[in-house]
Structures are given as structure tokens and as C-alpha cells.
Amino acid sequence: MKKRGIKIIISAILFVLALVITFSNEWINNGLFIISYLVVGFEILKKAVRNIFRGKVFDENFLMAVATIGAFAIGEFPEAVAVMLFYQVGELFQSYAVDKSRKSIASLMDIRPDYANIEKDGKIEKVDPDEVKIGDIIIVKTGEKIPLDGVVVEGRSSLDTMALTGESVPRVVKTEDEVLSGCINKDGLLKIRVTKEFGESTVSRILDLVENASSKKSKSENFISKFAKYYTPAVCYGALALAVLPPLVRMFAMGLDPSFGDWIYRALTFLVISCPCALVISIPLGYFSGIGVASKAGVLFKGGSYLDTIARVNTVVFDKTGTLTEGLFEVREVHVAPGVNSGELLGWVASAERTSTHPVARAVVQYAEREGVALLASEGAVEIAGHGIRAEFDGKQLLVGN
């Protein structure tokens, strides 16, 4: 896209020079027009020739090549360059839109794990998830993504499943629980026995849906594809007829000057105006951009046809925390037993919980900070997975949890 932008700028500068400066020798101006044209249009000409040899004659490259070369043939140098230049500007904007959509879709692919930990000879080695086989034991540390589907054989932890389910509340797993690839291990060490190869894992299936979303075309896209097969040749033959038939009628039937140049010019104008490129390209591009924008918001569409379906929806029912709400815990009130100071209790609890990554713990600490409660320095805090925190203050043991 950057390369195309540079070519457009260079071509535009040469084009303006040829228009503004009148040289004594006309061929200098014409030479500038030709150089300007080749800078911005050589790739189009090359694609047109290549596609002709491949049997794909009637496409936008062929139409642009015929229209612009025809303009040169009748001496309309400025118009030939202008048509190709404006076409390439349009292509640049299209590339920009596609690039943004691709980046949005790629951002959804951050769930792809980069490696898997396997214990070999008492050492933990990082390997590619594709190399892990069914039945192998993988180790997932705190903060790492689970690379493959499996069953927990040792350990207890809470998992962040938001990338897969949209649910922001952590899911607690223990021995014999099934876990899915793409989840993030929030706390504790897990040993997992792999039950599916990477290609069949949950994260791989999701990524496959994202990567092939644009291949599942809507009815509109399929219709346009069929329409273009007939419309494009019809436009080309219509332009040819417009260039040849009226002059012949004028010459033989009416005895007038055939004015071939004028009619060729009109035929080229008809060819450019009737070019189906915008219609054939804009509709698939619109669907692709829609899928990209949705991906940017974290919504996955499996294809353009599903965008059509959602457009007809008039009622939506939400049933997940995190869909209509932020899904984050927040302390609203502190209730204490008679004779207990609420500020002092909050200080103890927050001081113990500030080392934890649990969402409830974070909510308590944030509340204490907002309330201006001073946090104490613990002499040692230990997180007991699935139960809570054990900490010591001034030689006294404090248990915070369930």
C-alpha cells in the first residue's frame, strides 16, 4: 500500500508538470504523460496481459488497459493518465480499508498460543503446540495461555475464559476438569493431559472460522459474481459496437464523415463509465469490512451471509455477564459484626488480598484505596488455591477467603 501511494504521488507530479508546463517540443509533454502513465499503470497492464493468457479476459485490469491505451491511440494523453491515476487512487483507498479490516481480524487471533510447556528429563521445555501429541502432559504456569484442549491431572486454578465465552468471571478448575485452549491461567500451576491435537483444538477451530470468514459469501455476493460474468463481456462488446457501428452507418448509409475518432472516444468513455469494477468489488469489500469492524469489537461472524441474518434481527436476548455489564466485581457495602470497626476490618482484608490476582481480591483492594484506608505490611502472605489468603500481621495469623 505504501509502494502504491509513492507511485501515485510521483505520477501525479509528472502529470501536473505535463499539464502546466508547455514545452516547445510537443513530444516532451507527451513523454511526461507516458512516463506518468507507466509509473502508475504498468502493474495494471501486466496483470491484464497475464490474465488474458490465463483465460481471464474480462476483468477490471483489462477494461482499464483498453480504455487508457485507446485514449492514447486517439491522442487523448491527459485523459488516459487521469483515468488510470484516479483508478489507482480508488484502489489505494480500497487497500487501506481492507488492511484495517485484516488488522481488526488479526487482533482477534491473539488467542493463538505461541508455545506449550512439556516436562522432559526433569526439565521444562517450550515446544510448538503442533508438536504435542494426544496423551502428553503439558504444564501451564500462571499467566500463560492453555495451548491445547485437555483434562487437568494436577493443580487447581481459576481460568480467564473471556476470549472464548465472553464471560469475565473466572472459572475455577481442579483435577479431572476439562479445559479448553485459548483460556488464560490466572493463578496456580496446572498439569494437563492433552485430549486433542492442536489442529482439532478449540482455539484452532475459532481461528479457522476467522481466517475463512470471507469465503462464506452472502446471497448478494454470489449474485454479483454471477452478474459480472455476463455484464462485463456485454460492456466490452457494447463499447466495441459503439466504436464501429455508428461510423459505418454514417459512412455507408448516410454518406457522411464517419468520425471514427469521435466514436472511439465515446466508446472509451462508455467503457470507463460502465466498468463493473466498483459494483463487483464494493459489495464483497463491504462485507469484508463489516466482518473486520465486528472483529475489532470482539464479535466473530463466520461469513458474509451471517451479516445479512443479523440485519434482519429485531429482538436480542442477553444472558451473559460481561455483555451488558463490565463483568467486574465492585465492593458496594461493608457489613461487620457488633463491636468490629469496619475501617480496621477493611484494612486487614485489603492488606492480605493485595498480593492476589483474584478479581474479588482486586475489587476489595480498589475499594480500600478509594476509601483512603491505610494498608498494612504483611509478614508473609500465601495464596491457597480455591480457598483464599493466609497472611500474618504483628505475629497474628489472618485468614481471608471462603
Side-chain angles (χ1 to χ4, degrees), residues 127-179:
V127 299
D128 192 287
D130 284 319
E131 298 177 15
V132 181
K133 299 177 182 178
I134 295 175
D136 285 351
I137 303 298
I138 58 174
I139 297 170
V140 183
K141 302 174 185 177
T142 302
E144 291 183 336
K145 294 172 187 170
I146 297 178
L148 301 106
D149 295 359
V151 176
V152 178
V153 294
E154 186 180 323
R156 183 186 177 104
S157 181
S158 58
L159 303 181
D160 180 354
T161 63
M162 188 181 290
L164 301 183
T165 66
E167 183 62 70
S168 54
V169 178
R171 173 194 165 204
V172 177
V173 294
K174 57 186 183 304
T175 305
E176 298 303 322
D177 285 345
E178 291 187 4
V179 292

Side-chain angles (χ1 to χ4, degrees), residues 347-348 351-352 376-379 391-398:
W348 287 339
S351 298
L376 308 173
S378 64
E379 297 171 10
E392 289 189 7
F393 297 96
D394 298 328
K396 295 180 180 180
Q397 185 172 257
L398 177 69

Side-chain angles (χ1 to χ4, degrees), residues 228-255:
K229 288 181 181 179
Y230 301 99
Y231 178 77
T232 309
V235 166
C236 292
Y237 293 133
L240 181 63
L242 186 61
V244 175
L245 294 181
L248 293 178
V249 170
R250 285 173 60 88
M251 184 169 59
F252 294 109
M254 303 172 66

Side-chain angles (χ1 to χ4, degrees), residues 6 24 39 60 75 94 113 159 170 184 190 195 220 223 231 237-238 241:
I6 293 171
S24 56
V39 167
E60 65 271 16
Q94 175 188 306
L159 303 181
I184 298 174
L190 291 176
T195 56
S220 301
F223 170 75
Y231 178 77
Y237 293 133

Side-chain angles (χ1 to χ4, degrees), residues 16 24 39 48 53 91 97 111 140 149 162 182 191 213 224 260 267 290 294 321-322 329-330 355 359 377:
V16 171
S24 56
V39 167
F53 284 106
E91 289 288 295
I111 60 174
V140 183
D149 295 359
M162 188 181 290
K191 288 188 177 182
I224 288 298
F260 276 105
T321 305
F329 289 103
E330 180 181 305
T355 60

